[in-house]
Every structure is written in C-alpha cells, then in structure tokens.
Amino acid sequence: MPSIIKTENLQKHFDNDGVVTEVLRGVSFEIPQGQFVAIMGPSGSGKSTLMHILGFLDKPSSGAYFFEDQNVGNLDDNQLAAMRSRKVGFVFQAFNLLPRTTVFDNVMLPLMYVKMNDLERGEKVRQAVEAVGLSHRINNLSNQLSGGEKQRVAIARALVNNPSVIFADEPTGNLDSKSGLQVMRILQDLNQREGRTIILVTHEKYTAEHAERMIRMKDGMVIADEKVVNRMTTDGVEELGK
C-alpha cells in the first residue's frame, strides 16, 4: 500500500514571551493508505498537537509533512483550508454538533461549501447517516440524542465528504463503555469493510487496541511504533495477531 501520510523529523514549539515550550521533538513515521492507527500517550505527550498538524489545523515549526506525496509545507493558508475541507474528516470528544439542528442538517454542514445540487447533497447525507446506523433518527434534533448517537452523527459528518483520512480525537472520552464500544465498532467497520484510513488519538490503551497499529508518544517523541498483536474486535474480545 502506498503511504498516505509521511512525516520527517517534525518539530513544534510555542514561544510565549520568550519562554519556548517544545511540544514535538522530531517525529517521523509513515502511514499506508487504509491503515487504522492509534496514536497513544498521556496528556502533554504531543499527540493532539501532532493530530492538528496532520489534519492541516496547524503547521510544524520544522521538519516535513507529506500528504498523498504532496509536501504540505509548500501550501499557503487557502490551500491548507481546501485540503482540510476535502481530504480529512474530524471526530472530536465533545461531538461539536449544533444542538437545535437536525441530524440531517448537522451531517450536511461540510457540504455547504461544495459545488453540488441539493439532490446530491441529500443523497450523500443519507448514505453517511445510514453508514452509522442512524437512518431512523435523521430528522431528530441532535439534543434529542444520547451521547453515543451524537458521536455517531459526528462520524457521519466526518464521512460525508468522502475524505482520504478520518481523525478521531478521544472519540469515546465522553461515553459509557457500551456506547464507546459501538463507536469503535463503527470505526473498525469503516476501516475493514470500506478501507478507510483512520487515525485515532487516545490516552486509553483499551481504545487503542481496536486499531491495527499503535504509535506511542511521550514528551513529544515517538517511543514505540508497533503492530497491535491482540487486537480488540468489535465484539470487545481479543483477536490474536496473525
């Protein structure tokens, strides 16, 4: 499989009135297309900053980032915004849904700036909602949903533009274990059945073990990059590595 993401010695620091804080300290790896990768580490390890760079929300201080063989460092702000809207989808811990808006309209938001007619938009929204098993809730307001259902709507919204990569930042952090497992089941299904590239950011080992590969971070550096041997299945049991 060709690499969809490649980083070379990524570094990121923040300068606050002359006080420099190093957040990333030389991060290098490649992610093949269609892989489910968990980036794991404690708070302050740099994993969220790394996700923001990979998702075109921030820029590294130095080093190189290639997305689909394109050097992201050569892109201006408008080009980055276009990449962000077309190439990636985001799922956040806090859902980030509009509360008094229907599931349909929440999922349609990323399509508002895409040139297509209303029939095409509607069909894409219905397909995305169906993919997360919420067709029966498509006309409900998002504040009428459970936490697990809200996160499934957020996944549908991330899917609707058919992105190259889905970033999930602590997607089960606000959910009970049952709802969290449903969300992980959907992410695994998108990866295994549809071949979607998924990058999961988490501090929970249990959640990370649903991925096929785990990149461990500490103090802004990659300290381990390994295959998940006993991978959790969507039924919540371990699958022995092959």
Side-chain angles (χ1 to χ4, degrees):
M1 281 286 186
S3 293
I4 192 168
I5 282 174
K6 181 179 180 181
T7 69
E8 295 178 348
N9 196 32
L10 277 191
Q11 300 190 42
K12 180 69 177 180
H13 64 262
F14 296 98
D15 190 337
N16 186 10
D17 293 330
V19 179
V20 177
T21 303
E22 292 186 76
V23 182
L24 297 179
R25 308 180 185 208
V27 174
S28 301
F29 56 77
E30 293 187 42
I31 296 177
Q33 187 172 352
Q35 194 169 64
F36 189 167
V37 181
I39 298 175
M40 185 184 172
S43 297
S45 62
K47 60 186 187 299
S48 291
T49 298
L50 176 60
M51 189 201 75
H52 290 162
I53 292 172
L54 299 181
F56 313 110
L57 294 168
D58 200 358
K59 296 179 180 179
S61 302
S62 62
Y65 170 32
F66 297 89
F67 186 91
E68 294 180 338
D69 293 327
Q70 186 171 18
N71 190 338
V72 176
N74 295 332
L75 305 180
D76 60 28
D77 288 344
N78 289 333
Q79 290 170 317
L80 285 174
M83 292 282 278
R84 193 163 54 242
S85 65
R86 292 187 295 106
K87 293 292 186 178
V88 298
F90 294 97
V91 181
F92 295 104
Q93 179 177 340
F95 317 135
N96 294 347
L97 302 180
L98 299 177
R100 297 180 180 84
T101 306
T102 65
V103 168
F104 182 96
D105 287 337
N106 266 288
V107 175
M108 189 172 66
L109 282 174
L111 299 178
M112 296 301 292
Y113 305 101
V114 178
K115 290 183 179 180
M116 63 177 65
N117 62 47
D118 290 343
L119 284 176
E120 286 179 289
R121 284 195 182 94
E123 183 58 25
K124 282 183 172 291
V125 170
R126 282 185 282 274
Q127 288 175 355
V129 173
E130 183 180 356
V132 300
L134 283 179
S135 295
H136 62 295
R137 299 289 248 162
I138 196 166
N139 294 316
N140 284 88
L141 301 180
S142 65
N143 59 5
Q144 297 173 323
L145 306 179
S146 68
E149 288 173 329
K150 288 177 181 178
Q151 195 60 293
R152 287 154 68 185
V153 174
I155 293 172
R157 183 183 57 195
L159 275 175
V160 75
N161 246 352
N162 194 29
S164 299
V165 179
I166 295 175
F167 291 96
D169 190 3
E170 303 281 6
T172 64
N174 285 338
L175 306 178
D176 58 52
S177 57
K178 182 179 178 181
S179 298
L181 185 59
Q182 288 179 330
V183 166
M184 295 312 301
R185 179 182 293 120
I186 289 170
L187 291 176
Q188 274 194 330
D189 198 53
L190 291 170
N191 171 249
Q192 294 173 350
R193 292 180 183 271
E194 299 187 16
R196 302 237 177 216
T197 306
I198 297 176
I199 299 177
L200 168 73
V201 174
T202 184
H203 67 278
E204 299 172 335
K205 186 171 185 290
Y206 174 80
T207 304
E209 286 176 344
H210 284 84
E212 59 186 295
R213 174 184 173 194
M214 194 183 304
I215 297 174
R216 296 176 185 267
M217 295 190 67
K218 183 178 181 181
D219 299 331
M221 297 180 288
V222 173
I223 59 170
D225 185 346
E226 57 204 9
K227 179 181 179 181
V228 177
V229 178
N230 296 323
R231 187 182 184 189
M232 296 299 294
T233 69
T234 54
D235 296 322
V237 298
E238 289 187 351
E239 176 184 56
L240 296 179
K242 298 178 181 178

